[in-house]
């Protein structure tokens, strides 16, 4: 019994607590991201935003959550029930499991796997299933059209993301996220070396998370909110939470790949005094602000323009950058010698 | 039972069960979903034997891309299940024959494979601690370079072929030509006229 305890039960308990230590703050962050979004957009439009529930409307996300929680879950008669219920769960779970490999600090990571970047890429490429399943299972034309738009869009922009990741990998010489951040400590942040790719990455993650100005899957003026039109109550809330958790995850990926993860911007006293995880959170907030800023500023793309941007502009640019990066690394013998 | 053995049996069982469901599910969309479950568990098995790179590539390529396209096609299909089941008895002998041939082949292959003495040593231990991404990369880009490049060319031919098969010129479709729009100058399209009151243009 004692051996079983030390070999299995205790590590499992620790693991569960570690997972909770990531998931609970994440869900809180998701709730307050919705609040931040409303407040920031309100400020940009010279409004006040939510002000009624709690001081400065701070309890608004909790009130919204409670409202969704107590509503009735409606499952349409023609829906494919199992898939219909499964779809929001898939979206939500996929938005959470990506966090397993994000390094919050030097050595502060749940699973320090060798193929961390590929894992994140795999998780983000699976995100399309939640939407496509929802669209099909709803047995509704609007939902189906939204799902089709979304899957075509996400598959298209994933290719650009993949190529950008390859450029970063060539520079860092590792697929491990912690190793990528450590490489940035030596070489400088990749946002400086790969600045055009950082911009393309920002555009691509906007499309990947179905956010403005690429939010065609939930284009309310032509699709009455698209793939989630038949969802209500908690099933809808799971989509909503999943979308926002995905935004935070994508911002975290951008921070780790380009903005130096947990590294302070300058390696001198007042900056090094702030702990690494806090730097990562600040960087995530910065990228999230860009998400919200884009939503407040830009009109929605037309669908053919969206496709042309992905395939004819971003894809050739990022492919050319991969070739350029590989060429420069080879010509000046810059390949990192880090083994492992 | 160790955790790894337990996970192996669990994922192996789910792999086989979902593979069976792929061919026995009535709804083709469910079939694709079971196929995805099958891929996932196969990726899990890869992780268990330490082939993490293969596992991730399996998920990215097959689940993230190929299965999405399957899903697209299958969702668009308008299948009449009654007509699909028609003539089941008629085609049964042919189907059974094909199945038997396949089964016999599999048994033969598996039989010889199991009986042969191991002639080559197991995968040579790597001199240094190299993660399997790096090891695979080294092999692909040195020893198997030619085969790897040929595989890439085959894929390229497949891409060109797919485009050639589906591309069609349609007449009467208005397309946006960005270069033309950008190069348009006001002098080419705008005419400023001074119109006298009460006269019109």
């Amino acid at each position: 019994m004692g051996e079983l305890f030390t070999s299995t039960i205790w590590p499992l308990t620790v693991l569960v607590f570690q997972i909770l230590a990531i998931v609970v703050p994440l869900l809180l962050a998701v709730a307050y991201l919705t609040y931040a979004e409303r407040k920031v957009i309100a400020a940009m439009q010279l409004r006040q935003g939510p002000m009624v529930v709690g001081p400065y409307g701070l309890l608004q996300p909790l009130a919204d959550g409670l409202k969704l929680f107590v509503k009735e879950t409606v499952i349409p008669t023609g829906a494919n029930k199992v898939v219909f219920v499964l779809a929001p769960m898939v979206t939500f779970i996929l938005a959470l499991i990506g966090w397993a490999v994000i390094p919050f600090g030097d050595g502060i990571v749940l699973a320090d796997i060798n193929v961390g970047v590929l894992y994140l890429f795999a998780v983000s490429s699976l995100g399309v299933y939640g939407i496509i399943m929802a669209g099909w299972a709803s047995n509704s034309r609007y939902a189906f059209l939204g799902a089709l738009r979304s899957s075509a869009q996400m598959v298209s922009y994933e290719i650009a993301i993949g190529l950008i990741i390859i450029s970063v990998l060539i520079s860092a010489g590792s697929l491990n996220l912690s190793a990528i951040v450590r490489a940035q400590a030596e070489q400088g942040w990749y946002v400086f070396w790969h600045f055009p790719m950082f911009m393309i990455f920002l555009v691509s993650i906007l499309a990947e998370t179905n956010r403005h100005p690429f939010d065609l899957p939930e284009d309310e003026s032509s699709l009455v909110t698209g793939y989630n039109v038949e969802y209500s109550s908690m099933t809808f809330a799971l989509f909503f939470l999943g979308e926002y958790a995905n935004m935070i995850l994508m911002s975290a990926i951008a921070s780790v790949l380009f903005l130096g993860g947990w590294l302070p911007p300058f390696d001198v006293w007042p900056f090094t005094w702030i702990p690494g995880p806090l730097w990562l959170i600040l960087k995530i907030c910065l990228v999230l602000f860009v998400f919200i800023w884009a939503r407040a500023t830009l009109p929605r793309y037309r669908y053919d323009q969206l496709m042309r941007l992905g395939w004819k502009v971003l894809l050739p640019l990022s492919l050319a950058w991969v070739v350029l990066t590989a060429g420069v690394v080879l010509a000046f013998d810059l390949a990192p010698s880090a083994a492992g | 039972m160790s955790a790894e053995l337990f996970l192996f049996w669990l994922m192996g069982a789910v792999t086989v069960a979902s593979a069976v469901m792929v061919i026995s599910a009535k709804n083709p969309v469910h079939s694709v979903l079971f196929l995805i479950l099958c891929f996932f568990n196969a990726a899990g098995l890869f992780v268990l034997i330490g082939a993490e790179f293969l596992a991730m590539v399996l998920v990215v390529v097959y689940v993230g891309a190929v299965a999405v396209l399957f899903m697209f096609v299958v969702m668009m299909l308008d299948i009449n299940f009654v007509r699909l089941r028609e003539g089941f008895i008629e085609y049964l002998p042919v189907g059974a024959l094909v199945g038997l041939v396949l089964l016999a082949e599999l048994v033969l292959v598996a039989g010889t494979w199991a009986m042969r003495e191991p002639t080559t040593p197991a995968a040579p231990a790597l001199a240094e601690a190299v993660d399997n991404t790096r090891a695979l990369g080294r092999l692909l880009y040195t020893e198997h370079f030619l085969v790897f490049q040929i595989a890439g060319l085959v894929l390229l031919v497949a891409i060109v072929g797919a485009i050639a098969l589906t591309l069609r010129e349609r007449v009467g479709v208005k397309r946006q030509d960005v270069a033309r729009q950008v190069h348009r100058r006001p002098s080419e399209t705008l005419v400023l006229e001074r119109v006298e009151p009460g006269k019109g243009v």
Side-chain angles (χ1 to χ4, degrees):
Chain A
M1 185 63 209
E3 199 213 350
L4 182 73
F5 181 78
T6 49
S7 72
T8 314
I9 296 176
W10 177 244
L12 272 181
T13 320
V14 172
L15 191 65
V16 166
F17 273 101
Q18 283 174 332
I19 292 171
L20 283 179
I22 293 177
V23 170
V24 173
L26 178 66
L27 291 182
L28 215 62
V30 167
Y32 277 90
L33 177 58
T34 63
Y35 174 78
E37 178 172 35
R38 293 170 71 176
K39 275 291 187 191
V40 169
I41 292 181
M44 286 176 178
Q45 296 171 346
L46 301 179
R47 294 184 285 116
Q48 286 206 312
M51 284 296 275
V52 177
V53 190
Y56 295 98
L58 270 171
L59 298 177
Q60 185 69 46
L62 303 180
D64 289 343
L66 185 70
K67 183 195 78 178
L68 284 168
F69 199 73
V70 296
K71 286 207 171 182
E72 184 192 353
T73 305
V74 181
I75 296 181
T77 332
N80 193 311
K81 289 194 183 55
V82 179
V83 182
F84 187 83
V85 177
L86 215 58
M89 293 188 204
V90 168
T91 304
F92 186 62
I93 291 170
L94 284 174
L96 293 186
I97 60 172
W99 286 91
V101 295
I102 298 282
F104 293 95
D106 205 348
I108 313 173
V109 50
L110 184 63
D112 197 16
I113 60 174
N114 282 329
V115 286
V117 178
L118 272 182
Y119 174 82
L120 280 178
F121 190 58
V123 168
S124 73
S125 70
L126 294 180
V128 67
Y129 279 109
I131 292 173
I132 203 170
M133 280 161 76
W136 176 78
S138 299
N139 199 10
S140 147
R141 279 176 186 74
Y142 289 123
F144 190 60
L145 283 174
L148 286 185
R149 279 186 181 185
S150 160
S151 30
Q153 171 180 335
M154 288 169 88
V155 169
S156 309
Y157 279 82
E158 242 153 49
I159 299 169
I161 291 185
L163 286 169
I164 293 165
I165 288 177
I166 290 176
S167 303
V168 171
L169 293 185
I170 292 173
S171 322
S174 175
L175 287 161
N176 182 308
L177 288 163
S178 303
I180 290 175
V181 175
R182 277 186 216 112
Q184 292 183 66
E186 288 169 26
Q187 306 168 5
W189 294 3
Y190 288 149
V191 64
F192 303 121
W193 297 115
H194 297 292
F195 184 70
M197 289 306 103
F198 179 62
M199 297 320 276
I200 293 182
F201 193 77
L202 281 184
V203 173
S204 303
I205 59 178
L206 283 175
E208 186 75 8
T209 48
N210 297 325
R211 291 287 300 178
H212 273 264
F214 307 114
D215 64 336
L216 289 143
E218 36 196 287
D219 180 354
E220 66 278 341
S221 50
S222 68
L223 282 181
V224 287
T225 79
Y227 66 90
N228 56 18
V229 64
E230 301 293 341
Y231 284 86
S232 59
S233 172
M234 275 320 277
T235 49
F236 173 77
L238 284 183
F239 272 123
F240 200 71
L241 291 174
E243 186 186 323
Y244 280 79
N246 251 332
M247 275 168 66
I248 306 180
L249 178 65
M250 286 294 174
S251 310
I253 298 175
S255 315
V256 168
L257 291 185
F258 291 101
L259 299 174
W262 68 76
L263 299 171
F266 302 102
D267 213 4
V268 290
W269 170 67
F271 297 104
T272 48
W273 184 72
I274 297 172
L278 209 58
W279 276 121
L280 182 68
I281 291 169
L282 281 174
K283 287 165 186 173
I284 292 175
C285 290
L286 186 74
V287 182
L288 283 175
F289 178 76
V290 175
F291 268 86
I292 297 169
W293 190 13
R295 176 170 174 189
T297 321
L298 299 170
R300 187 176 287 133
Y301 258 61
R302 214 172 60 204
Y303 200 73
D304 61 318
Q305 292 174 329
L306 168 93
M307 280 298 166
R308 189 182 54 227
L309 181 71
W311 287 99
K312 294 190 179 171
V313 181
L314 300 189
L315 177 62
L317 268 179
S318 45
L319 188 60
W321 195 266
V322 170
V323 176
L324 182 71
T325 312
V328 168
V329 165
L330 195 66
F332 296 101
D333 201 20
L334 294 169
S337 55
Chain B
M1 198 193 286
S2 72
E4 272 177 30
L5 198 62
F6 172 73
L7 281 176
F8 169 76
W9 282 111
L10 180 72
M11 287 196 277
V14 176
T15 309
V16 174
S18 52
V20 170
M21 287 306 290
V22 172
I23 49 172
S24 58
K26 277 188 185 147
N27 193 326
V29 174
H30 291 173
S31 287
V32 178
L33 290 175
F34 277 115
L35 185 68
I36 292 162
L37 185 64
C38 186
F39 282 148
F40 257 112
N41 284 280
L45 290 173
F46 270 134
V47 170
L48 274 188
I49 58 169
E52 60 218 11
F53 182 75
L54 280 183
M56 291 307 149
V57 168
L58 182 73
V59 174
V60 171
V61 175
Y62 281 90
V63 183
V66 175
V68 173
L69 296 182
F70 275 179
M71 196 87 156
F72 248 122
V73 174
V74 164
M75 287 193 324
M76 303 283 210
L77 291 179
D78 189 19
I79 299 175
N80 189 337
F81 292 105
V82 182
R83 281 204 45 202
L84 211 64
R85 302 242 178 276
E86 259 175 32
F88 179 70
I89 303 293
E90 228 176 289
Y91 296 120
L92 189 63
V94 185
L97 190 70
V98 172
L100 269 180
V101 170
L102 275 177
L103 184 69
E105 280 176 356
L106 275 177
V107 166
L108 281 176
V109 169
T112 50
W113 175 55
M115 278 185 287
R116 188 191 286 169
E117 289 294 313
T119 47
T120 49
L126 294 160
E128 47 202 305
V130 190
D131 58 84
N132 60 51
T133 314
R134 205 173 287 268
L136 268 177
R138 276 186 194 161
L139 267 183
L140 281 183
Y141 283 97
T142 54
E143 222 167 289
H144 305 295
F145 183 70
L146 194 66
V147 183
F148 186 58
Q149 294 295 316
I150 290 173
L153 280 180
V154 170
L155 275 178
L156 182 67
V157 171
I159 295 170
V160 174
I163 294 173
L165 281 177
T166 51
L167 189 70
R168 57 190 173 129
E169 286 289 332
R170 280 189 296 179
V171 285
V173 180
K174 285 186 180 169
R175 282 187 201 286
Q176 188 181 8
D177 187 350
V178 177
R180 230 186 71 204
Q181 287 178 333
V182 171
H183 283 108
R184 221 162 82 130
R185 292 277 162 270
S187 56
E188 297 162 20
T189 50
L190 269 182
V191 183
L192 283 179
E193 295 271 0
R194 197 178 185 86
V195 183
E196 293 292 319
K199 274 193 173 175
V201 183

